Each structure stands twice: as C-alpha cells, then as structure tokens.
Amino acid sequence: MPWPEALIFDVDGTLAETEPLHLAAFNAVFAQAGLWQWSEREYRTLLTTTGGKERIARYITEHGWDLDRYPVADLHAAKNRHYAGLLGQVTLREGIAELIAGAQASGIRLAIATTTSQENVVALLHAVGAEDVFESIAAGDMVAEKKPAPDVYLLALRQLGLPAEACLALEDSRQGLRSAKAAGLRVALCPALFTKGDGASGADILLESFADLKIDALREMA
Ligand code: XBP
Ligand code: MG
C-alpha cells in the first residue's frame, strides 16, 4: 500500500485560522456576562489548555476565584453559539484546499481529529463548503481526555480502521503534535497565528505553509 493511506487533520489552527474567532466569541460572551476580557497575548498562553470549558476553568482557578461561582458550561455553550455566527468570515488556510484535492486524486483517505466539538467542526465545514470531504470526525467531546492525550487520534484511527503507521497527522500546535505522537503517528506541523513559537521538536515535517506539503513528496517518505 502506498503511504500515507490517510491524512488526519486537526481543525482549529490547521484547517482554518479559527482561534481569533474563538477568542472574539469568548470575549463577546464575557462582556455580556460582565466578566473579564482576554487579550491575544493571554489567549496564546491559555491555549496550552485545550478545550474551551477547561480553558475558562483554568483562568478562574489561576486567579484564585471560586469555580463554583461561575457558570462555566453556560459560558462555553454561549461562546460556541456566538462562534457559529462568526464563521461566515472564515476560509481554509493556505494550501489546505489543494492538499485535500491532491489527496482525493491519489486515493488518500481524509479524516479529522480535533479538540473542539463535532458541532463546531460541522459548522466550520459547512462555512467553507467542505461538508462531504472527511469520512470521519473524532472530536474532543467523544473522548475521555483531550489533546495532548492521544485519545482523539486513537479514536480517529479506530474510525478509519487503520494503524498509526499508515497515516499522517496535520497539526498546528504543540499540544496537537504531542497528542498525535503519543498515538504513534507521523506529524506534519504548520504553526498558526496563535501557535507560532510553541516549539516543534518531534515533528516529522515542519512547514511554513501547507502549500509546501506535496503528495508526491509524501509518497517518497513511505
Ligand atoms: C483547539 C482547541 C479548542 C478551541 C476551542 O482544538 O484547543 O479548544 O480553542 O474549542 P484543535 P472548544 O486545534 O484540536 O481543533 O471551545 O469547542 O473546546
Ligand atoms: Mg489546532
């Protein structure tokens, strides 16, 4: 079998630069609730905690506030409703559409492994007209532990029915890289706006743009 048999895509920061939209949605909801605002600088640090609910909880506990006094689940649900409304502005990252087309032309299967929810993934795919591209979605709300734990990549492999050696993961963040590596995958890392400078050690391929990732070159790495 030619390698790779499947590409497994991360979502936020990989398929699209969605983190600025998540941040805008978080801040809109915090403003409505009369709470704090997150700066871009602060959000970069907070992104080391994957998962929006977990991120809000981390912020509250780091400030020494009582977690029970904040409706974390409600704030997060409101953030995702607001986020869905912002997706009209989103486009795929540079090179992603060509990579998908190249993989499809070569018979390479396409899947998703993400920390965000299935609902957010479906909304994003709809916004960019890619509803029918991926055969499976492994999402953060389907597994016990989010990235950097390997769970979501292991779920993606089970959904595909393929061993880790047969696949390549595409990621933007250190947490995602760690997750895919812990699941035994090779990883192509292309840092995004909020994950640049995270550290790339362990990546099999380090990219400045997904436009630099060519199917023919991947075939030679088999
Ligand atoms: C990145 C994340 C997510 C998003 C927000 O996920 O850490 O938590 O910031 O998503 P990935 P939710 O790069 O793996 O797609 O608020 O839905 O958790
Ligand atoms: Mg990501």
Side-chain angles (χ1 to χ4, degrees), residues 71-158:
V72 174
D74 292 346
L75 290 168
H76 185 245
K79 183 279 283 183
N80 280 339
R81 282 194 299 277
H82 198 88
Y83 169 75
L86 298 177
L87 283 172
Q89 318 166 13
V90 88
T91 54
L92 291 172
R93 269 189 84 182
E94 181 181 81
I96 292 289
E98 293 77 6
L99 188 56
I100 287 171
Q104 285 172 327
S106 306
I108 297 172
R109 296 166 66 191
L110 300 168
I112 281 177
T114 176
T115 293
T116 199
S117 62
Q118 184 168 25
E119 206 181 341
N120 282 354
V121 177
V122 169
L124 172 68
L125 295 180
H126 178 72
V128 297
E131 292 99 328
D132 301 323
V133 168
F134 299 95
E135 66 176 86
S136 55
I137 298 173
D141 49 0
M142 299 173 180
V143 292
E145 278 193 65
K146 293 180 178 171
K147 298 174 187 179
D151 303 28
V152 80
Y153 275 103
L154 294 174
L155 175 59
L157 292 170
R158 279 201 300 280

Side-chain angles (χ1 to χ4, degrees), residues 26-27 30-31 34-38 56 59-60 65 70 75:
F26 275 119
N27 279 335
F30 296 152
L35 298 169
W36 54 81
Q37 290 287 283
W38 285 344
I56 299 170
Y59 184 80
I60 294 166
W65 303 330
Y70 295 88
L75 290 168

Side-chain angles (χ1 to χ4, degrees), residues 5 11 21 25 27 29-30 37 39 42 49 53 63 70 80 96 100 104 108 127 129 145 152 178 192 195 197 205 215:
E5 290 182 52
V11 172
L21 304 181
N27 279 335
V29 166
F30 296 152
Q37 290 287 283
S39 67
E42 220 167 5
T49 298
K53 270 196 292 288
H63 280 76
Y70 295 88
N80 280 339
I96 292 289
I100 287 171
Q104 285 172 327
I108 297 172
E145 278 193 65
V152 80
R178 286 173 60 198
T195 50
I205 304 171
I215 301 293

Side-chain angles (χ1 to χ4, degrees), residues 15 21 36 40-41 58 102 115 144 165 171 176 178 181 191:
L15 286 184
L21 304 181
W36 54 81
E40 285 191 6
R41 191 192 168 95
R58 166 185 167 180
T115 293
E165 308 79 66
E171 272 289 351
R178 286 173 60 198
K181 279 289 162 197

Side-chain angles (χ1 to χ4, degrees), residues 10-16 18-19 47 50 113-115 147 153 170-176 192 195:
D10 167 54
V11 172
D12 293 306
T14 297
L15 286 184
T18 48
E19 288 302 352
L47 274 176
T50 64
T114 176
T115 293
K147 298 174 187 179
Y153 275 103
L170 297 120
E171 272 289 351
D172 71 296
S173 72
R174 175 111 194 103
Q175 314 309 319
T195 50

